[in-house]
């Protein structure tokens, strides 16, 4: 069951979508509402809209307790679990939010579950307001939000209501105390590729990282990973996000001393610019992060061939992307898999979760973890999804897996 979410600006009437059909719940059973509009997302996801209040002579007030149980707000549902999806549906991140929402619809259809109802709320109108509405509507689990600042706004509201948050953020600083993050944490990718490089004989390591939050966390993970793997840290160079600063940092790193491997914790485009400079003082094994996973341009650049990077497996994601294009007429954003997997996780737990009761949060800490489009993962005691990653090599025709992801813990 998927519903288009109700926002804090909703009027007195609310609508409920049931697999494409719609029932209108009004404060009065004696008057038929006019102006109902149906919007279909990609021919599959039914979206609910506001219905203008009817005009004309005043209607007779409805009974205080309608005999059929229908009243303002969302209808009572005692047979299914109420789950809220908090993603941007408007604004600059609307396309990503819609891709995640569409993927949750696909997961519900593919799992053939009838025990879960998902209502979508637009965080672009205010994440805190969306969370308050979700709690007021009786949702017992929140999927999302996407942005770390939205997670910070939602967390205290959800915590007070004893509703856990399963966020799509990759910011580990917002995890914990009822908040679990499913995003791809950069440190895990760095640790995986450094460990693999060390196992192949690379001893002396250097890194090139941007002066961003992502870069800072990647650099910290890199230092720890080199030490843990028994390697030698030669140098870490940072740069502002400009071509001149990138080239300067790459040149400093190239002249910092002999090294076997260099991590570039940035996009594929910036790696392509930096690698010729990094290799100008001798050949080095180039390492990357999960950011390279979706950058096809890497395979078309001769200087990048032979580079290694770690990421979640793309095998099942390719199948999801194909089905997504068939249903919605366009390619999904890579983060759509997080929406799909969050629903699979919810459906699994829903088997032993009584509708109307609090979500069994301890089940998220299961030692055997969960599986999905992005492979197996499990949450640590901080609420961070620890993922099984594969290592790929950049080749002339694309990426080739050279060290598969584990299939069990």
């Amino acid at each position: 069951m998927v519903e288009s979410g109700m926002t804090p600006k909703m009027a007195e009437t609310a609508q409920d979508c049931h697999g494409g059909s719609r029932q209108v719940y009004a404060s009065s059973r004696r008057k038929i509402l006019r102006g109902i509009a149906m919007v279909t997302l990609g021919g599959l996801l039914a979206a609910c809209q506001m219905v203008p209040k009817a005009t004309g002579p005043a209607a007779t007030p409805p009974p205080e307790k309608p005999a059929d149980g229908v009243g303002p707000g969302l209808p009572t549902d005692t047979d299914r679990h109420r789950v809220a999806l908090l993603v941007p549906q408007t604004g600059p991140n609307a396309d990503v939010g819609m891709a995640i929402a569409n993927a949750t619809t696909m997961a519900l259809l593919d799992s053939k579950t009838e025990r879960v109802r998902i209502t979508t709320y637009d965080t672009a109108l205010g994440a805190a307001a969306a969370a308050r509405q979700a709690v007021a509507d009786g949702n017992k689990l929140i999927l999302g939000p996407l942005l770390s600042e939205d997670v910070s706004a939602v967390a205290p509201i959800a915590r007070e209501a004893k509703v856990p948050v399963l966020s799509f953020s990759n910011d580990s600083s917002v995890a914990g105390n009822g908040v679990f993050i499913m995003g791809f944490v950069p440190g895990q990718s760095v640790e995986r590729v450094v460990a693999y490089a060390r196992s192949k004989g690379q001893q002396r390591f250097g890194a090139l990282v941007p002066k961003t939050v992502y870069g800072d966390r990647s650099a910290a993970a890199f230092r720890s990973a080199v030490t843990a793997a028994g390697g030698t840290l030669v140098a870490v160079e940072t740069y502002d996000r400009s071509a001149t600063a990138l080239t300067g940092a790459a040149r400093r790193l190239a002249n910092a001393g002999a090294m076997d491997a260099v991590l570039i914790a940035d996009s594929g485009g910036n790696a392509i610019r930096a690698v010729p400079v990094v290799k100008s003082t001798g050949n080095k094994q180039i390492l990357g992060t999960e950011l390279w996973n979706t950058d096809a341009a890497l395979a078309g650049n001769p200087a990048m061939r032979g580079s290694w990077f770690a990421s979640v497996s793309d095998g099942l994601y390719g199948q999801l992307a194909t089905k997504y294009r068939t249903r919605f007429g366009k390619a999904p954003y890579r983060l759509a898999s997080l929406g799909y997997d969050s629903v699979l996780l919810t459906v699994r737990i829903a088997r032993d979760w009584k509708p109307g009761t609090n979500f069994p949060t301890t089940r998220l800490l299961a030692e055997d973890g969960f599986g999905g489009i992005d492979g197996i993962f499990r949450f640590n005691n901080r609420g961070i999804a620890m993922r099984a990653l594969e290592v790929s090599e950049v080749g002339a025709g694309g990426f080739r897996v050279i060290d598969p992801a584990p299939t069990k813990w």
Side-chain angles (χ1 to χ4, degrees):
M1 165 72 68
V2 179
E3 296 176 336
S4 176
M6 299 189 295
T7 70
K9 296 184 179 181
M10 295 184 64
E12 297 135 358
T13 58
Q15 295 176 307
D16 187 25
C17 296
H18 293 266
S21 65
R22 173 177 299 181
Q23 293 181 330
V24 178
Y25 294 88
S27 60
S28 173
R29 298 176 57 210
R30 303 182 181 182
K31 182 173 291 185
I32 300 176
L33 299 181
R34 304 183 183 92
I36 300 177
M38 175 70 76
V39 178
T40 303
L41 301 179
L44 186 71
L45 178 62
C48 304
Q49 292 186 322
M50 295 289 299
V51 180
K53 292 192 292 184
T55 58
T60 303
E64 294 183 3
K65 296 182 179 180
D68 57 5
V70 176
L74 292 181
T76 301
D77 191 341
T78 58
D79 298 326
R80 284 168 288 192
H81 301 288
R82 303 298 309 250
V83 177
L85 175 65
L86 270 60
V87 289
Q89 295 181 292
T90 55
N93 296 309
D95 287 346
V96 181
M98 187 56 65
I100 292 174
N102 288 344
T104 63
T105 298
M106 292 177 63
L108 286 176
L109 293 172
D110 291 346
S111 64
K112 296 180 173 60
T113 183
E114 296 182 356
R115 295 179 59 83
V116 177
R117 159 186 265 164
I118 295 180
T119 306
T120 306
Y121 300 81
D122 188 2
T123 54
L125 300 178
R132 291 190 189 96
Q133 187 65 55
V135 169
D137 287 343
N139 292 284
K140 300 299 184 181
L141 173 66
I142 291 176
L143 306 180
L146 174 63
L147 305 177
S148 60
E149 56 266 34
D150 287 347
V151 178
S152 296
V154 166
I157 298 167
R159 190 175 301 123
E160 183 178 0
K162 294 181 173 56
V163 174
V165 174
L166 199 57
S167 169
F168 307 128
S169 171
N170 68 350
D171 184 354
S172 57
S173 70
V174 299
N177 201 7
V179 174
F180 298 78
I181 62 169
M182 291 188 64
F184 310 132
V185 178
Q188 295 177 33
S189 174
V190 172
E191 292 166 1
R192 176 77 164 96
V193 76
V194 167
Y196 179 77
R198 184 71 189 91
S199 73
K200 295 303 178 180
Q202 314 300 327
Q203 174 64 40
R204 296 173 61 81
F205 292 83
L208 195 61
V209 297
K211 292 180 179 178
T212 62
V213 173
Y214 182 92
D216 292 344
R217 290 175 180 161
S218 295
F222 176 72
R223 291 185 175 93
S224 297
V226 170
T227 299
T232 301
L233 179 62
V234 177
V236 175
E237 291 291 341
T238 62
Y239 55 92
D240 295 322
R241 301 308 291 270
S242 70
T244 300
L246 173 61
T247 301
R251 187 173 295 111
R252 292 193 302 272
L253 185 66
N255 296 321
M259 58 189 77
D260 305 314
V262 170
L263 172 76
I264 302 178
D266 206 340
S267 66
N270 281 338
I272 289 172
R273 297 183 186 94
V275 164
V277 180
V278 170
K279 289 184 174 181
S280 64
T281 56
N283 192 40
K284 303 169 184 67
Q285 177 63 55
I286 302 301
L287 311 177
T289 73
E290 82 289 344
L291 294 179
W292 294 10
N293 189 37
T294 56
D295 197 333
L298 289 167
N301 188 280
M304 297 303 300
R305 290 171 191 168
S307 299
W308 300 334
F309 68 92
S311 69
V312 295
S313 175
D314 257 356
L316 292 177
Y317 177 76
Q319 298 177 35
L320 174 68
T322 299
K323 292 177 64 177
Y324 187 102
R325 281 191 293 268
T326 299
R327 287 181 175 173
F328 301 106
K330 57 183 177 181
Y333 281 80
R334 185 61 181 83
L335 293 179
S337 62
L338 298 180
Y340 193 99
D341 285 356
S342 70
V343 172
L344 294 189
L345 179 157
T346 302
V347 169
R348 172 180 163 179
I349 294 179
R351 297 169 186 165
D352 303 312
W353 171 27
K354 183 180 179 181
T357 63
N358 288 338
F359 182 84
T361 307
T362 56
R363 293 285 304 281
L364 292 174
L365 300 175
E367 291 186 5
D368 58 342
F370 305 92
I373 294 298
D374 292 321
I376 62 172
F377 66 96
R378 60 183 177 186
F379 294 102
N380 64 14
N381 56 12
R382 292 180 55 204
I384 299 170
M386 308 302 294
R387 296 185 173 276
L389 305 180
E390 66 185 17
V391 178
S392 297
E393 182 177 76
V394 179
F399 305 147
R400 177 176 68 93
V401 177
I402 54 177
D403 193 29
T407 56
K408 61 181 180 180
W409 296 108

